[in-house]
Amino acid sequence: MTSSALRLDEFITTNLSKLAPLVLAKDKDKTGQLTVTEFKECLQEAGLRLRQNELNRLVDKLNLKDQVPHKEILMGKIPSVLERMRNSAKQKKAKTESEDKSS
């Protein structure tokens, strides 16, 4: 796990009582997913003190590009969630590259 993921994991664990209600409130359609923007807003509202560009770099390092599955994150499973999201991004990229080569 990267140091960024570790710090984010520690922040979530330490601030779960603040973060959970914010996350659940943002998930208005009850899908168990937040957009990356919604997730960043929740982190900031819960007290993560990063400037916007720092938060964007953190998200970029963690490859949070699609929907963020908040239920698992709130259950303390951020390493497995991030790994799955990275793998999904790699698979999408490989598929796109494969399609580009065949056209």
Side-chain angles (χ1 to χ4, degrees):
M1 180 169 29
T2 67
S3 61
S4 298
L6 183 59
R7 284 192 300 266
L8 183 57
D9 189 33
E10 289 172 4
F11 176 83
I12 290 171
T13 302
T14 305
N15 295 282
L16 192 56
S17 63
K18 292 183 219 171
L19 189 59
L22 295 168
V23 166
L24 296 173
K26 290 264 190 220
D27 185 15
K28 292 182 174 85
D29 56 359
K30 307 296 182 223
T31 61
Q33 307 265 334
L34 295 179
T35 65
V36 171
T37 300
E38 291 169 332
F39 186 58
K40 290 191 299 188
E41 289 169 358
C42 289
L43 292 171
Q44 288 178 315
E45 290 172 29
L48 183 64
R49 298 292 171 231
L50 292 176
R51 286 177 271 165
Q52 193 62 43
N53 65 335
E54 294 171 322
L55 187 55
N56 289 338
R57 275 198 312 267
L58 171 66
V59 168
D60 288 344
K61 281 183 181 180
L62 299 176
N63 292 323
L64 297 177
K65 306 220 184 285
D66 297 322
Q67 298 289 308
V68 179
H70 68 74
K71 288 181 182 180
E72 291 183 60
I73 290 172
L74 293 179
M75 291 170 40
K77 298 181 181 177
I78 193 166
S80 61
V81 170
L82 294 175
E83 189 60 34
R84 208 168 42 249
M85 292 175 79
R86 279 189 207 101
N87 289 339
S88 175
K90 287 177 187 176
Q91 289 172 350
K92 286 179 186 176
K93 182 178 179 183
K95 182 179 178 186
T96 302
E97 289 173 354
S98 174
E99 289 171 354
D100 288 346
K101 288 179 183 178
S102 64
S103 35

